Amino acid sequence: MLVRLANGREIPVEMHKTRIVQKIYLKSFAERLKAMEEGGYNTFSLRTRDIFLDMLTDSGVNAMSDNQLAAMITADDAYAGGEGYYRLKDAVKDVLGFDWVLPVHQGRAAEHLLAKVLIKPGTVIPMNYHFTTTKVHFELAGATVLEIYIDEAINTQSKHPFKGSLDPQKFRDVIKKYGREKIPFVRMEATANLLGGQPFSLDNLREIRKIANEHGIPLVFDGSLIQEAAYFIKTREKGYDKKSIGDIIKEMMAEVDIYYMSARKTASVRGGLIAVNDKKYYDQFLVWLPVYEGFLTYGGMSVKEVEAMAVGLREILDVEVAGSSAEFVKYFAERLIESGVPVVTPPGGLAAHLDAKRFLPHIPQSQYPAGALAAGVYLASGIRCMERGTISMERDAKGNEVFADLELARLAVPRRVYSMSQIEFAVDRIAWLYKNRDLVGGLKFVEEPPVLRFFFGKLAALDNWGAKLGEAVKKNFGER
Ligand SMILES: Cc1ncc(COP(=O)(O)O)c(C=O)c1O
């Protein structure tokens, strides 16, 4: 919840108290450099013990509530017919309004089933923006992903409240160019992760739905951050400030044919689901569910997580839960801006995003500025963030590098995990790094996997800049 201080400043306050904690460590610079070099300048390869604040992602690392943990203890441990599934089904009906639910082990498993059932080779999938796993699954099934975002989407210094919108005119053009039969569905991602967690408006969703209806094209909705999407509609779209998160979610869902999500994000558990009202889709997905995931009533998830998902889904209706991450992200981004650091504006859901093209203008995209920035942030602070730029792209069919629209270092704010003083530490070190940005250099691949290379790729610092940055860190901050 946002509260106003006597000096007029609005700050987010935590509407929960902490009852279980995990010890963390701030390793010395020498230890951080060793970890980074051994990990091939890829923050994915770091171990928890080497990390001070883990801002890699919000996926699977949000804090769960006491009621979620309680539900895990009483979980019904059945292979088939588990009661947890029926509690989840009821929660999905109450919160999202869908009758038919298929749990899956995580978001990308839902994408795999969507691709398996709905995509034929040679088709095209229009969407507001891709997510890494979405694109790979859809392309493996033979489709081409068409990102038809509004032009403002890739302006990193914008005031546009809904940069995650899908451009209606571009959608009409795509339908005209390819024809309805080549378009199995249109996909809306709420919020658009790789654009910096940017939302679309309900108005935009309705317009896209209207166009899709005119041509009989189903609408697929990736609701991995649905509560943030609803929170942004409530706080940014005219006419919604008095509506509840639940009402807004219901209004969004009225436009959707197939809903899926990574519950690792939405419901703070480790799982995912697909939900529909048209039983035709349900029957098609159900055929493949036991092949790739598991029996219907657990879908590859632990039954404990199924129970916790049912509880977590209901909890997103609380505006203090729905807005908790977005408010901290806003505070974090605004404090960075006050310190002169280039971040993506307006702040979106899930993370504060450093704009690496502006932060490190001396590093060309061929030397991966977002990856270099993520490494630099870790070396300067012990904070782990994620590259969301060219390293996160796939090479084209000829093996050429595909430069990302945006080069971002994403500092995720998992829900209810970090405190204000930890955010202030992050701001301070990142501001210091920005002042000393010339010390950060480019990266080159030394081991490059053929697919989703950002996960396991190994890189090296050009001209050994990590060690040089270390000298400056030590001079300013001592060992840590
Ligand atoms: C928008 C979006 N869709 C899909 C996924 C994939 O979900 P998962 O990581 O659970 O497989 C993610 C994961 O971060 C995501 O952000």
Side-chain angles (χ1 to χ4, degrees):
M1 186 167 73
L2 291 172
V3 294
R4 184 155 304 165
L5 301 181
N7 65 8
R9 186 180 192 110
E10 270 196 344
I11 58 161
V13 288
E14 297 82 351
M15 296 305 287
H16 53 262
K17 58 184 179 180
T18 310
R19 292 161 67 203
I20 296 180
V21 295
Q22 179 182 351
K23 175 113 182 78
I24 53 176
Y25 302 89
L26 178 53
K27 291 281 178 83
S28 70
F29 177 80
E31 290 167 308
R32 298 203 293 267
L33 182 61
K34 186 164 175 277
M36 191 86 287
E37 284 184 340
E38 284 175 3
Y41 277 77
N42 180 346
T43 55
F44 273 97
S45 55
L46 295 169
R47 290 180 63 160
T48 292
R49 66 183 184 192
D50 294 321
I51 296 163
F52 178 45
L53 306 180
D54 196 355
M55 296 186 156
L56 186 75
T57 177
D58 58 340
S59 177
V61 293
N62 293 311
M64 296 175 87
S65 71
D66 48 1
N67 287 324
Q68 286 185 287
L69 284 175
M72 290 176 89
I73 291 171
T74 54
D76 178 17
D77 215 350
Y79 185 94
E83 289 300 326
Y85 171 73
Y86 295 96
R87 282 187 272 275
L88 176 62
K89 206 165 175 279
D90 288 347
V92 168
K93 179 72 187 166
D94 293 347
V95 176
L96 302 168
F98 295 107
D99 289 328
W100 302 100
V101 183
L102 303 110
V104 292
H105 79 272
Q106 63 185 92
R108 71 201 66 187
E111 290 166 342
H112 177 217
L113 289 181
L114 281 176
K116 177 97 195 150
V117 168
L118 299 174
I119 295 179
K120 303 262 172 310
T123 53
V124 296
I125 317 288
M127 57 181 70
N128 53 343
Y129 210 68
H130 80 279
F131 183 69
T132 52
T133 55
T134 322
K135 191 164 186 219
V136 167
H137 275 298
F138 292 1
E139 287 180 351
L140 282 174
T144 303
V145 164
L146 301 175
E147 293 163 304
I148 46 175
Y149 48 83
I150 58 168
D151 295 344
E152 192 68 3
I154 52 173
N155 175 4
T156 57
Q157 299 174 77
S158 169
K159 288 194 165 59
H160 196 299
F162 293 109
K163 286 200 300 181
S165 299
L166 193 144
D167 189 314
Q169 189 51 49
K170 289 182 192 162
F171 187 32
R172 286 190 190 283
D173 294 346
V174 162
I175 299 171
K176 202 161 163 203
K177 179 166 174 200
Y178 294 93
R180 190 272 167 255
E181 56 297 340
K182 281 258 179 334
I183 307 174
F185 57 86
V186 55
R187 172 178 174 275
M188 294 290 277
E189 182 179 309
T191 60
N193 187 332
L194 300 189
L195 288 175
Q198 298 295 322
F200 49 76
S201 61
L202 241 165
D203 211 36
N204 182 247
L205 177 63
R206 288 202 177 109
E207 194 172 353
I208 298 309
R209 175 66 204 213
K210 188 167 161 284
I211 300 169
N213 271 355
E214 285 165 17
H215 300 271
I217 298 170
L219 193 144
V220 170
F221 189 103
D222 178 339
S224 299
L225 285 171
I226 190 171
Q227 66 267 55
E228 278 81 7
Y231 179 79
F232 288 128
I233 287 170
K234 184 175 170 63
T235 52
R236 294 183 186 180
E237 190 163 352
K238 209 162 160 257
Y240 289 93
D241 57 331
K242 300 274 184 306
K243 296 211 174 176
S244 69
I245 295 293
D247 288 343
I248 295 171
I249 288 179
K250 284 269 169 60
E251 286 193 40
M252 281 197 274
M253 293 304 100
E255 310 301 328
V256 172
D257 293 301
I258 300 174
Y259 174 91
Y260 79 92
M261 68 183 194
S262 166
R264 298 174 65 82
K265 300 164 98 72
T266 324
S268 305
V269 297
R270 292 110 204 129
L273 60 75
I274 302 177
V276 294
N277 273 330
D278 186 339
K279 189 158 180 297
K280 167 190 83 195
Y281 292 125
Y282 172 80
D283 290 339
Q284 285 175 294
F285 294 129
L286 188 62
V287 172
W288 296 106
L289 193 71
V291 178
Y292 294 110
E293 298 300 309
F295 190 74
L296 171 66
T297 52
Y298 71 94
M301 293 173 63
S302 136
V303 290
K304 294 185 186 314
E305 303 275 348
V306 174
E307 298 274 6
M309 180 147 82
V311 176
L313 207 49
R314 291 187 187 280
E315 288 177 350
I316 66 172
L317 298 181
D318 179 346
V319 67
E320 284 159 8
V321 174
S324 62
S325 170
E327 287 168 359
F328 263 81
V329 168
K330 180 167 178 283
Y331 177 83
F332 192 3
E334 284 173 355
R335 290 284 296 116
L336 286 166
I337 293 165
E338 278 168 27
S339 311
V341 177
V343 299
V344 174
T345 59
L350 101 128
H353 293 80
L354 306 179
D355 182 356
K357 280 189 191 166
R358 283 189 287 141
F359 200 116
L360 301 173
H362 55 285
I363 302 183
Q365 280 189 281
S366 56
Q367 293 178 12
Y368 312 120
L373 185 51
V377 167
Y378 173 72
L379 290 172
S381 64
I383 297 171
R384 167 158 80 162
C385 62
M386 190 190 289
E387 192 271 359
R388 295 278 74 159
T390 295
I391 297 177
S392 297
M393 299 291 286
E394 307 293 314
R395 286 184 183 268
D396 70 14
K398 293 195 182 113
N400 297 318
E401 197 73 84
V402 176
F403 294 129
D405 295 322
L406 301 175
E407 295 286 347
L408 307 178
R410 183 184 89 178
L411 292 134
V413 182
R415 281 181 218 119
R416 302 178 289 197
V417 173
Y418 293 121
S419 66
M420 187 79 94
S421 63
Q422 289 167 325
I423 300 278
E424 285 296 335
F425 171 85
V427 170
D428 184 70
R429 288 291 167 109
I430 293 166
W432 177 87
L433 187 66
Y434 184 57
K435 285 198 189 95
N436 292 276
R437 56 192 174 276
D438 290 345
L439 294 171
V440 180
L443 299 174
K444 64 167 188 214
F445 266 105
V446 287
E447 279 175 39
E448 187 180 339
V451 66
L452 295 177
R453 59 186 181 169
F454 63 91
F455 280 129
F456 300 119
K458 287 210 179 309
L459 298 103
L462 297 169
D463 301 325
N464 203 18
W465 61 262
K468 287 177 214 147
L469 177 64
E471 298 302 313
V473 172
K474 265 201 227 154
K475 220 165 120 198
N476 271 269
F477 303 108
E479 279 308 307
R480 281 160 225 285

